[in-house]
């Protein structure tokens, strides 16, 4: 496990992820605390697919993939799955810290605990954390899959950028509605009891599971 952490979480990757979160919390303005999730979800998706694109392609570039072929059974794919989990946990930690940085630097207007259905700040944070965890997992897995398919991390990043631009837009919201990949960002802020945005996250989970299932065969064929 420690070896996988050293490979997948290099100092450079950790540094630019932390720097990314710090700069975002300084330059992306919010007025209310329930806007923090909107400010963070789409940028965290970009960080995820750039961060995870080389999960396996670094083995191709360094030619370690040839050695991997000598490993018995499904052992190589388990290494990849572990790297994806390690990177996902790290990015989720960055996302959680970023949420706190918005309060530190911008002091947005907060909602207190009420009986009229508004979320408490703690509940709102955990809802954000669940939504962004799905977002990070989906875009990280997708970029890794595309990178493995084309044996190039830049193709993986570019391939993710296209659906990101489409779905993270007013056009995407109108077309896909609650089924949009960024449904959490386009949710109705005035109605905290509306959880129809979960449909979009369910789409992310289903596609992510399918991508993970297809990954072993793609790695086997593409090496």
């Amino acid at each position: 496990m420690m070896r996988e952490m050293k490979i997948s979480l290099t100092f450079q990757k950790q540094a630019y992820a932390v720097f990314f979160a710090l700069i975002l919390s300084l330059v992306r303005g919010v007025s209310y605390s329930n806007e923090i999730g909107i400010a963070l979800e789409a940028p965290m998706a970009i960080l995820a697919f750039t961060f995870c694109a080389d999960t396996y392609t670094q083995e191709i570039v360094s030619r370690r993939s040839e050695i991997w072929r000598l490993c018995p059974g499904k052992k190589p794919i388990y290494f990849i799955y572990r790297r994806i989990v390690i990177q996902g946990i790290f990015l989720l930690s960055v996302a959680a810290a970023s949420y706190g940085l918005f309060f530190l630097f911008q002091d947005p207007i907060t909602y207190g605990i009420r009986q009229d259905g508004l979320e408490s700040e703690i509940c709102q944070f955990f809802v954000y954390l669940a939504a962004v965890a799905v977002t990070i997992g989906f875009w990280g897995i997708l970029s890794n899959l595309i990178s493995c398919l084309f044996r190039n991390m830049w193709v993986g990043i570019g391939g993710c950028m296209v659906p990101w631009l489409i779905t993270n837009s007013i056009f995407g919201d109108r077309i896909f509605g609650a089924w949009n990949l960024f449904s959490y960002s386009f949710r109705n802020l005035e109605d905290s009891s509306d959880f129809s945005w979960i449909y979009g996250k369910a789409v992310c989970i289903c596609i992510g599971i399918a991508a993970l299932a297809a990954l072993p065969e793609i790695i086997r064929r593409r090496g």
Side-chain angles (χ1 to χ4, degrees):
M1 182 64 75
M2 291 300 298
R3 176 178 176 275
E4 303 306 322
M5 290 181 66
K6 289 180 180 179
I7 293 174
S8 57
L9 293 180
T10 62
F11 174 77
Q12 292 86 347
K13 292 177 93 174
Q14 293 183 58
Y16 79 68
V18 172
F19 183 74
F20 178 90
L22 184 63
I23 295 299
L24 183 64
S25 63
L26 287 170
V27 303
R28 179 65 162 85
V30 296
S31 298
Y32 297 91
S33 60
N34 60 354
E35 296 174 353
I36 297 177
I38 296 175
L40 281 171
E41 187 185 22
M44 285 306 302
I46 293 178
L47 181 60
F49 66 68
T50 55
F51 199 90
C52 301
D54 69 341
T55 302
Y56 180 69
T57 54
Q58 59 184 298
E59 305 294 336
I60 298 173
V61 173
S62 63
R63 297 188 177 180
R64 291 195 299 262
S65 60
E66 298 176 5
I67 300 175
W68 274 38
R69 293 179 183 180
L70 302 176
C71 294
K74 298 181 179 179
K75 194 173 181 180
I77 194 63
Y78 292 149
F79 290 147
I80 297 300
Y81 286 158
R82 280 198 291 188
R83 290 180 189 180
I84 291 173
V85 171
I86 290 169
Q87 290 175 130
I89 292 173
F90 174 77
L91 290 175
L92 187 59
S93 301
V94 172
S98 299
Y99 195 95
L101 288 174
F102 273 88
F103 280 97
L104 178 65
F105 295 130
Q106 301 196 33
D107 192 25
I109 299 172
T110 60
Y111 289 114
I113 302 175
R114 300 181 184 177
Q115 299 300 320
D116 58 1
L118 289 176
E119 298 168 337
S120 68
E121 287 302 319
I122 294 177
C123 180
Q124 184 172 272
F125 169 72
F126 281 110
V127 169
Y128 154 77
L129 209 58
V132 81
V134 175
T135 297
I136 289 170
F138 169 76
W139 291 100
I141 292 168
L142 183 63
S143 68
N144 180 57
L145 181 74
I146 297 174
S147 296
C148 290
L149 184 61
F150 292 95
R151 297 172 60 87
N152 189 305
M153 65 170 287
W154 297 109
V155 176
I157 294 172
C160 286
M161 201 67 206
V162 174
W164 185 93
L165 289 170
I166 294 173
T167 54
N168 185 39
S169 64
I170 300 299
F171 171 78
D173 182 42
R174 289 176 180 174
I175 296 297
F176 302 109
W179 300 93
N180 190 10
L181 300 178
F182 290 105
S183 56
Y184 175 77
S185 292
F186 291 99
R187 73 192 189 281
N188 182 8
L189 291 179
E190 300 300 322
D191 184 6
S192 60
S193 63
D194 180 15
F195 283 89
S196 60
W197 56 267
I198 289 179
Y199 296 137
K201 295 304 154 191
V203 171
C204 291
I205 291 173
C206 291
I207 296 175
I209 292 173
L212 285 176
L215 191 58
E217 183 63 19
I218 289 175
I219 290 178
R220 187 184 71 83
R221 288 178 177 272
R222 299 293 291 163

